[in-house]
Amino acid sequence: MVVGWGLDLANSLGRLADSGEAIVSLEIVQEIRDIDDPQQKGILLGVDLLSWMGTARASLDIDQYVYHECGHESDSAVP
């Protein structure tokens, strides 16, 4: 989605960041509620996104929240 904003915007944001008039940041918030679900794990940052962020002089902030109750049967079933 971010890459779809185009390089013109990335260049404009990069100029603002270089001038000190703005701080550019991509913030990702991930909530994991089922630690056994592989689709809830991992964050992929492709080369296109990283290139766009570099052009925009963007920082990256990743917040991860894992909601897990200890003591489930699967937790105590350690051989």
Side-chain angles (χ1 to χ4, degrees):
M1 179 171 104
V2 173
V3 175
W5 294 339
L7 283 179
D8 287 341
L9 178 60
N11 282 313
S12 295
L13 292 172
R15 284 191 298 276
L16 282 171
D18 285 344
S19 73
E21 294 182 52
I23 296 172
V24 181
S25 178
L26 173 63
E27 183 174 335
I28 298 172
V29 178
Q30 180 184 38
E31 293 184 359
I32 299 173
R33 297 190 180 275
D34 180 356
I35 61 172
D36 295 323
D37 182 355
Q39 291 186 336
Q40 290 192 28
K41 297 177 190 169
I43 296 173
L44 174 65
L45 304 175
V47 79
D48 290 343
L49 175 60
L50 295 175
S51 177
W52 191 97
M53 290 178 60
T55 300
R57 308 294 190 267
S59 63
L60 176 63
D61 178 19
I62 299 175
D63 296 324
Q64 293 178 307
Y65 302 94
V66 179
Y67 300 99
H68 176 67
E69 292 183 31
C70 296
H72 283 201
E73 289 180 24
S74 62
D75 294 338
S76 60
V78 177

